[in-house]
């Protein structure tokens, strides 16, 4: 089921990522740590895509989707959000300017809204999701 809310959250996410990439060309700092975070986030993203053949950029659940609880999904419920936040944290380290920090803060808020919206849909659709929530964290294994 497609929803305006799902599309608007995805638009906001990509708009903020674009804003964060605007300082390209300004002197970079924290190069190695930033690259480490970008590679780490990219790795998490690849693992998420590898584990989930039902991947959807929108938080809306596809009709034929089933709950994935294996691979990286055995540790965190939203590894793609973790991947985006980790990679963009790397960008924030690389270009530590005010509007990048503000954009990153707004990106965190947007992804949390997207995450809670997606979870509400799963909870309404699947009792299996309630069980899954009891033994996995949302974004950071063993923490949150």
């Amino acid at each position: 089921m497609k929803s305006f809310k799902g599309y608007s959250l995805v638009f906001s996410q990509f708009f903020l990522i674009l804003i964060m990439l605007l300082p390209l060309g300004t002197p970079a700092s924290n190069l190695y740590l930033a690259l480490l975070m970008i590679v780490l986030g990219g790795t998490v993203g690849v693992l998420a895509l590898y584990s989930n053949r039902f991947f959807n950029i929108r938080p809306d659940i596809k009709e034929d989707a089933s709950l994935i609880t294996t691979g990286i999904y055995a540790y965190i419920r939203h590894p793609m959000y973790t991947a985006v936040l980790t990679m963009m944290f790397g960008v924030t380290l690389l270009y530590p300017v005010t509007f990048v920090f503000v954009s990153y803060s707004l990106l965190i808020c947007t992804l949390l809204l997207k995450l809670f919206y997606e979870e509400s849909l799963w909870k309404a659709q699947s009792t299996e999701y309630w069980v899954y929530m009891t033994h996995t964290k949302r974004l950071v294994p063993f923490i949150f």
Side-chain angles (χ1 to χ4, degrees):
M1 181 168 97
K2 298 176 183 179
S3 75
F4 176 75
K5 186 174 187 174
Y7 281 114
S8 60
L9 288 167
V10 170
F11 174 81
S12 299
Q13 172 186 340
F14 281 99
F15 178 75
L16 290 166
I17 289 170
L18 175 67
I19 295 296
M20 291 179 72
L21 295 175
L22 286 178
L24 292 176
T26 59
S29 57
N30 308 308
L31 181 63
Y32 296 115
L33 182 57
L35 288 176
L36 175 67
M37 297 306 290
I38 292 167
V39 169
L40 179 64
T43 302
V44 170
V46 167
L47 290 171
L49 290 172
Y50 179 76
S51 298
N52 187 354
R53 65 184 176 96
F54 299 106
F55 177 76
N56 187 7
I57 195 78
R58 292 183 332 272
D60 304 305
I61 301 168
K62 291 181 178 179
E63 282 185 34
D64 61 341
S66 63
L67 185 62
I68 306 296
T69 60
T70 59
I72 195 163
Y73 287 88
Y75 304 99
I76 50 178
R77 297 193 298 266
H78 304 280
M80 192 54 78
Y81 298 165
T82 299
V84 170
L85 289 172
T86 304
M87 287 188 294
M88 297 316 292
F89 181 68
V91 171
T92 304
L93 292 173
L94 195 59
Y95 304 112
V97 293
T98 303
F99 78 89
V100 173
F101 285 119
V102 170
S103 297
Y104 186 69
S105 299
L106 292 172
L107 180 64
I108 291 170
C109 293
T110 299
L111 288 179
L112 285 174
L113 284 171
K114 192 175 168 187
L115 178 151
F116 291 128
Y117 173 64
E118 183 177 348
E119 285 193 344
S120 73
L121 296 175
W122 273 109
K123 287 190 256 184
Q125 177 177 315
S126 167
T127 55
E128 181 183 17
Y129 196 78
W130 289 91
V131 174
Y132 177 57
M133 288 173 43
T134 62
H135 56 80
T136 55
K137 297 296 182 180
R138 287 184 170 109
L139 295 171
V140 182
F142 313 109
I143 298 173
F144 175 74

